[in-house]
Structure formats: structure tokens, C-alpha cells
Amino acid sequence: MKTVGIVCDRRVRDGMSVHQANDEYITAIRDGAGTLPLLIPSTDVPLDTATLLASVDGLLFTGSPSNVAPSHYGAALRPGTELDELRDAATLPLLRAAIAAHMPLLAICRGFQELNVALGGSLHQHVHDIPGRLDHREPRDASLEVEYAPAHAIAITPGGVLARLSGLEAAMVNSLHHQGIDRLAPGLAVEAVAPDGQIEAVSLAAAKTFVLGVQWHPEWRFAQDPLACAIFAGFGAAL
């Protein structure tokens, strides 16, 4: 069975550091991609990238409440931006190394933003402050069912990776983010956009393997959504 490394957050619970990856990611990698999920911690000293790449067949970069530190794309930190700099130190070099090694990877939410930053792009720290943009944040104090419910449409780029995987021209997706792509990294291609023009999915134009990033959360009850099924099945097939 092929293995997929799932990058964990570094968070503090009850005064102790913990490494965290939501069960939905693990289930989607196991059942949707048909692979063995292995958790990769964000340690104080980042694990050796060459050793990690030799240990897995693919990588999943997960979502998170935290954000990429804006110093990585030349911006100042704005209030209300939660960081996880230990994860930054682990994921940004790992993304670059994985791409150089032609390893299949799937990047979701924070992972999607990490992919853009790792390759030289930048982020809006608060999309909802930009005139004409939707408020892409989840409802406050809502149940998980409401938070992860379909929130807006996306237009899928004809002939792109996402269109070929799914056979779709449009879809409804959930929306649980306040940051998003500002300057698209060199080499990335837009795979989907929201009605307000915010980029919702990207691929690596010159990739020799599966490299896809999505801003929404396809792992949430993936088996009930044809687009999510197509994404995880396509990722698994590429390993």
C-alpha cells in the first residue's frame, strides 16, 4: 500500500505542545485515496526533508486555524493573524523539496496558501477587508455542519487538472478562511475561482505528477461530494 505523509500543526493544549491533524484528513487519505496515512510532526528542529521524502509516496498539506507568517512573503503582520512558525519551518522547505523531487502532493486551505508562498507568491491577510470580495470566513458560533456547509460556487478552469479529474465546470464548496492568494506564485496555474475572483484552486503548470492546491476543505465528508471524491481518488492514483 502507498503511504501519504500528513503534515501536522504545532499547537498548545493545556500548556503542552501537541501535533495535530484532524481525523477528516486521515479518513479521506485512507478511504478516498486508498493509501496509508502517516503523520509528520512539526518539530522544534524540522525533520530532514530528504529522509521524509524517502519515507512516503505522497504528501498532504492540511488546513489550520493558523496562517503562514507574512515575513515569508515580505509583508508586515496584521492584527488577528494567528501564526504557527514551527509549521512554516517544516512545510515551506518540504514543499519545495517535494516539487523538486516530483512527488505527488495535495495542499488544502493553509496548505494551499503554503504552496503559493513556498513558490514565491503572496497572501491577502484579510480577504474580507478587500472591496468587492466576499467574506470567506465561516459563520461564528455555528455547528460544524453549518461551518462546513457549501458556501459559494466556484468556476473550474476548462481543460485544467481539476476539470479533467472531475468532469465538472462548476461546483459548490465550503469556505472557512480569512486569508487567500494575492500574488500568484510563478509557475502556478489557476484551476478555480470564486464569484468574487478570489483564487480557489491551483496546480503546478510544469509538474510531472499530481500537484494540486484547493482553498476549501474537500476532506469534510468527502464521500458525499463528487468533486472531493475525484480529488482524493486522483491523488491516490498518482502515487
Side-chain angles (χ1 to χ4, degrees):
M1 178 178 285
K2 300 292 186 178
T3 60
V4 171
I6 301 175
V7 175
C8 293
D9 295 335
R10 179 71 171 264
R11 303 182 65 78
V12 176
R13 302 287 187 192
D14 298 324
M16 300 179 69
S17 291
V18 297
H19 300 273
Q20 174 179 305
N22 290 354
D23 185 61
E24 286 78 13
Y25 297 110
I26 296 166
T27 300
I29 287 299
R30 183 193 64 195
D31 299 339
T35 63
L36 177 67
L38 297 175
L39 301 186
I40 297 176
S42 297
T43 52
D44 291 338
V45 177
L47 300 176
D48 180 67
T49 55
T51 302
L52 286 175
L53 294 181
S55 303
V56 298
D57 300 294
L59 289 166
L60 173 68
F61 294 84
T62 63
S64 172
S66 69
N67 306 275
V68 180
S71 57
H72 290 291
Y73 50 90
L77 181 67
R78 293 187 59 188
T81 300
E82 178 183 347
L83 303 181
D84 181 352
E85 295 187 83
L86 289 174
R87 172 164 166 158
D88 292 346
T91 55
L92 299 180
L94 184 57
L95 271 161
R96 297 183 191 108
I99 288 169
H102 309 298
M103 174 168 284
L105 66 88
L106 174 60
I108 293 173
C109 196
R110 188 196 209 268
F112 166 81
Q113 297 166 9
E114 289 169 338
L115 175 62
N116 189 57
V117 172
L119 296 181
S122 67
L123 303 176
H124 295 299
Q125 291 184 54
H126 299 307
V127 173
H128 52 277
D129 287 343
I130 301 170
R133 294 295 167 92
L134 299 172
D135 188 340
H136 288 259
R137 295 172 294 181
E138 67 272 25
R140 289 186 177 183
D141 302 319
S143 67
L144 289 176
E145 294 292 337
V146 173
E147 284 186 358
Y148 284 87
H152 63 72
I154 55 168
I156 297 173
T157 302
V161 172
L162 205 54
R164 293 196 301 271
L165 284 174
S166 67
L168 298 174
E169 298 179 352
M172 291 293 295
V173 299
N174 52 42
S175 190
L176 297 92
H177 63 103
H178 70 101
Q179 300 209 341
I181 288 180
D182 177 8
R183 183 182 68 254
L184 185 67
L188 290 182
V190 175
E191 292 286 338
V193 295
D196 60 358
Q198 187 63 44
I199 297 171
E200 288 281 331
V202 296
S203 63
L204 186 64
K208 297 180 181 179
T209 186
F210 188 105
V211 177
L212 182 68
V214 299
Q215 181 62 82
W216 68 93
H217 286 268
E219 79 283 357
W220 177 257
R221 299 196 170 173
F222 77 93
Q224 300 177 17
D225 179 61
L227 179 57
C229 287
I231 290 170
F232 285 105
F235 181 42
L239 301 176

